[in-house]
């Protein structure tokens, strides 16, 4: 049964729906790609988010801890408080040619909204702010205080968030907290994630000559691509099986409780995923429960990007002066990012790539709540 | 001793030197990157070249054989005729960040000229046209006819030039002919190449999912990079040694005559090359005569480009939907491009990559004149 309060709130949302969509449209229009490190754009993104909070009545401020700014907001008196985390940054829109709409323009088509950040996570910010706005007149009546922290570096591994957490330890205390992604499964059941994998994002660069050289000289000029290719075959086989045992070190198994929950997931979604992505077989020929287990409870090792020499259209004849690979390793409970990074570096050295340049783009451990945790 | 004619010509060149540089500047300013396939720009490039020919008195015309236009010009009555080949297209200027000047702007610095095409080969066109202009009043006196053919597809393997040659067979007949690159060695000795290697330029594309997928799904989604990495290790080892014997099939050895000429080359240039390019060792540890032999008389296999997923700055977490590699194979006398392409395709299939998409960007055999040939 819908209470009177609920009814009023739902009516308010209905009446203001178009305006909420316009707010999302404004958010999508700001190109807050954290990986591009355009400080002016990120600052503008934070300012717009802070203004949106203030418009609803939040006491809001913007802070920086050496990276892209973080927006903080507080609404209501409590005594109970809830903490919401989110981020206003997005992933780069590349490859642009695969977009059928402009990435930074909100487009409505067949009842769906398209634009970079609609699903991750500006859509959630706009929806949540709409809900809070509708709820705002009743917060005191409900005895609720809302704290909102919205950062700008989630997509690059939140490199300065830990400093904010350290600094704001007192302020962040709350009776409950969440980060929303808001997906439902194909049976319309809400997904409530109880944790997330950790991440180590490593870029490895190998160099040959000090500049690209005409490939007429190829018999003489060392091409770093051959060295990298050999190294990559030591990490994974062509079927996607991880070959380095150190990826599986220190895993703290979540036990039968987690496995039981996995069984409640819809295994048929895997088949639908295959169809949607045009895949005949999953990596390693995985299927069914084994696939779900690997997906949710095991670490992973992936190449997100690879580049050397001429990558444009047509041909150019050069020996590339460098080759780079972007590798993301996802960690499960028990695994420490710093140890995985050390292992990775050792492995490079053991295999003759001690001269490689290494850039760590992100490193954070996994986080989780046990299903039975109170 | 300088003849009176020579003196007059040299004086003319001296007096008009600035104007010739300006002509080069105009040529550099047109972005005739054949790989970009911008038909309007290429057409403009051809028109400017044709106008330059006409300004000197050439009967000039532009023809197309399905690709970028070819400029033809004829000056003088003969009876002796000389045919000059050149090209107005250039290589792509990437990577842009390694240029300290703008690629399509001629810049003079410390007595040197910088700009895309100065060395290959617009500088030669401008210099040659300057020389011909100075010589033009005396052509009849010398009994000389000059035929000039300037194409726009040299940097992408001249895919339509053979049609032009077939069509213009009669017109192309001449008592002598050359293509100039105009390099001198470090002892200021003019290099006169007696041939060039052939080329097969192959792009191989392997696909996984139908689109890039968030790398949270990495344990399931096949990443084509692992398959390609394995394949590349079968072509060359990390030191640059070619592992596939079919690269060496059908070689027609040029014999001791060619090897004797190699010995006249300045072996010290190899050490200087190393220093210039910041290389400690050549590929395979090659040195001295062995290096020269491999460089000039053996086929080569090189990776000019490699790309997958996110290649921009910072991080993006995806499983790439495709990986591509651009491979250039240089051929020596006796080797047929079509056979090498077949071998390459067979090799892909034998190693489980029969699903690869293959694009042939260029294929032509080597050409040569035996040193003793009259």
């Amino acid at each position: 049964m819908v209470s009177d309060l609920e009814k009023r709130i739902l009516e308010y949302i209905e009446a203001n729906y178009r305006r909420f969509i316009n707010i999302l449209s404004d958010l999508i229009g700001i190109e807050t790609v954290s990986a591009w490190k355009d400080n002016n754009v990120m600052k503008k993104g934070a300012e717009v988010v802070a203004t949106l909070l203030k418009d609803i009545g939040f006491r809001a401020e913007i802070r920086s801890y050496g990276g892209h700014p973080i927006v903080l907001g507080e609404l209501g008196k409590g005594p109970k408080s809830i903490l919401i985390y989110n981020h206003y940054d997005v992933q780069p829109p590349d490859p642009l040619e695969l977009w059928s709409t402009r990435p930074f323009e909100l487009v409505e088509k067949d009842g769906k909204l398209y634009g970079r950040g609609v699903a991750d996570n500006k859509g959630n910010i706009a929806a949540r702010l709409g809900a809070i706005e509708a709820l705002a007149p009743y917060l005191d009546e409900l005895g609720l205080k809302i704290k909102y922290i919205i950062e700008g570096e989630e997509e690059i591994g939140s490199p300065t968030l830990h400093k904010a957490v350290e600094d704001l330890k007192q302020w962040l205390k709350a009776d409950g907290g969440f980060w929303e992604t808001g997906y439902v499964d194909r049976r319309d059941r809400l997904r409530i994630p109880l944790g997330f994998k950790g991440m180590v994002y490593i870029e490895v660069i190998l160099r040959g000559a000090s500049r690209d050289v005409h490939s007429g000289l190829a018999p003489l000029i060392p091409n770093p691509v051959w060295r990298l290719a050999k190294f990559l075959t030591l990490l994974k086989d062509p079927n996607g099986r991880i070959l380095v045992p150190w990826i599986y070190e220190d895993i703290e198994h979540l036990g039968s409780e987690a496995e039981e929950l996995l069984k409640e997931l819809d295994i048929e979604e895997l088949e639908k995923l295959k169809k949607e992505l045009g895949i005949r077989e999953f990596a390693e020929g995985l299927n069914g429960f084994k696939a779900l287990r690997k997906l949710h409870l095991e670490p992973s090792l992936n190449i997100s990007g690879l580049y050397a020499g001429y990558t444009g259209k047509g041909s150019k004849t050069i020996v590339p002066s460098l080759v780079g690979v972007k590798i993301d390793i996802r960690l499960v409970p028990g695994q420490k990012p710093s140890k995985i990074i050390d292992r990775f570096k050792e492995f490079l050295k053991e295999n003759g790539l001690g001269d490689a340049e290494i850039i760590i783009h992100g490193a954070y451990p996994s986080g989780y709540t046990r299903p039975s945790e109170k």
Side-chain angles (χ1 to χ4, degrees), chain A residues 68-101:
Chain A
H68 299 319
I70 293 176
V71 184
L72 305 173
E74 199 176 297
L75 180 69
K77 298 192 197 110
K80 287 278 181 189
S81 62
I82 190 159
L83 174 69
I84 314 175
Y85 162 86
N86 218 326
H87 62 92
Y88 62 87
D89 64 322
V90 294
Q91 289 268 345
D94 317 60
L96 291 173
E97 63 272 22
L98 296 185
W99 283 80
S100 56
T101 62

Side-chain angles (χ1 to χ4, degrees), chain A residues 63 65 70 149 160-172:
Chain A
R63 294 210 185 180
Y65 291 87
I70 293 176
I149 176 166
T160 66
L161 185 63
H162 67 281
K163 290 184 201 163
V165 171
E166 192 60 43
D167 184 44
L168 301 166
K169 217 183 264 178
Q170 287 308 315
W171 182 80
L172 288 168

Side-chain angles (χ1 to χ4, degrees), chain A residues 4-307:
Chain A
D4 190 46
L5 176 59
E6 272 179 87
K7 210 178 141 223
R8 271 180 284 159
I9 287 173
L10 291 173
E11 277 169 8
Y12 183 89
I13 289 172
E14 198 64 46
N16 289 277
Y17 178 75
R18 260 306 123 196
R19 192 166 53 79
F20 297 150
I21 296 289
N22 289 342
I23 286 173
L24 176 57
S25 177
D26 290 347
L27 286 173
I28 298 296
I30 311 167
E31 308 188 1
T32 51
V33 177
S34 43
W36 291 346
K37 302 203 183 297
D38 183 330
N39 292 330
N40 288 331
V41 171
M42 298 308 290
K43 205 179 139 210
K44 196 185 159 199
E47 281 164 1
V48 168
V49 169
T51 303
L52 289 173
L53 289 174
K54 283 177 189 162
D55 286 349
I56 299 175
F58 274 86
R59 301 172 287 284
E61 63 173 298
I62 296 173
R63 294 210 185 180
S64 170
Y65 291 87
H68 299 319
I70 293 176
V71 184
L72 305 173
E74 199 176 297
L75 180 69
K77 298 192 197 110
K80 287 278 181 189
S81 62
I82 190 159
L83 174 69
I84 314 175
Y85 162 86
N86 218 326
H87 62 92
Y88 62 87
D89 64 322
V90 294
Q91 289 268 345
D94 317 60
L96 291 173
E97 63 272 22
L98 296 185
W99 283 80
S100 56
T101 62
R102 289 168 204 263
F104 297 105
E105 194 177 293
L106 187 73
V107 174
E108 211 167 337
K109 221 163 60 178
D110 302 329
K112 282 181 179 160
L113 295 168
Y114 296 86
R116 171 52 90 217
V118 164
D120 182 7
N121 226 345
K122 289 175 173 175
N124 304 75
I125 293 175
R128 179 62 50 191
L129 287 179
I132 293 173
E133 183 182 314
L135 198 65
Y138 317 105
L139 274 193
D140 287 350
E141 192 177 318
L142 294 165
L144 193 63
K145 176 192 276 190
I146 298 172
K147 295 175 184 178
Y148 220 142
I149 176 166
I150 308 183
E151 68 150 325
E153 301 184 315
E154 195 271 342
E155 300 292 4
I156 53 171
S158 303
T160 66
L161 185 63
H162 67 281
K163 290 184 201 163
V165 171
E166 192 60 43
D167 184 44
L168 301 166
K169 217 183 264 178
Q170 287 308 315
W171 182 80
L172 288 168
K173 278 186 180 158
D175 295 294
F178 63 89
W179 170 21
E180 58 204 332
T181 52
Y183 296 107
V184 291
D185 74 7
R186 279 156 221 264
R187 295 191 218 151
D188 265 350
R189 296 183 303 180
L190 186 65
R191 283 192 188 168
I192 305 176
L194 294 178
F196 52 87
K197 288 185 183 176
M199 161 88 83
V200 166
Y201 198 108
I202 302 181
E203 185 160 353
V204 178
I205 297 171
L206 282 174
R207 294 179 194 274
S210 55
R211 57 171 172 82
D212 292 346
V213 182
H214 192 279
S215 73
L217 287 169
L220 301 185
I221 310 302
N223 186 334
V225 173
W226 305 110
R227 297 175 67 209
L228 184 75
K230 175 71 187 171
F231 177 73
L232 295 182
T233 63
L234 304 176
L235 292 175
K236 256 192 176 180
D237 75 12
N239 294 322
R241 195 167 61 90
I242 296 176
L243 302 174
V244 284
W246 46 263
I247 286 284
Y248 297 105
E249 277 176 7
D250 304 326
I251 296 178
E252 180 187 314
H253 290 283
L254 296 180
S256 58
E257 207 181 21
E259 308 228 339
E260 286 308 311
L261 276 178
L262 275 189
K263 284 178 191 157
E264 288 183 30
L265 290 178
D266 184 359
I267 278 193
E268 264 191 32
E269 292 210 0
L270 293 176
E271 290 309 312
K272 284 180 187 151
L273 185 68
K274 276 189 200 168
K275 210 171 279 176
E276 187 193 321
L277 297 175
I279 294 169
R280 210 178 312 161
E281 280 222 329
F282 282 139
E284 300 183 68
L286 285 169
N287 256 322
F289 182 73
K290 224 171 147 184
L292 286 179
R293 220 199 154 285
K294 199 131 197 163
L295 179 61
H296 292 287
L297 300 180
E298 289 192 18
S300 69
L301 169 73
N302 175 57
I303 290 176
S304 276
L306 182 64
Y307 57 92

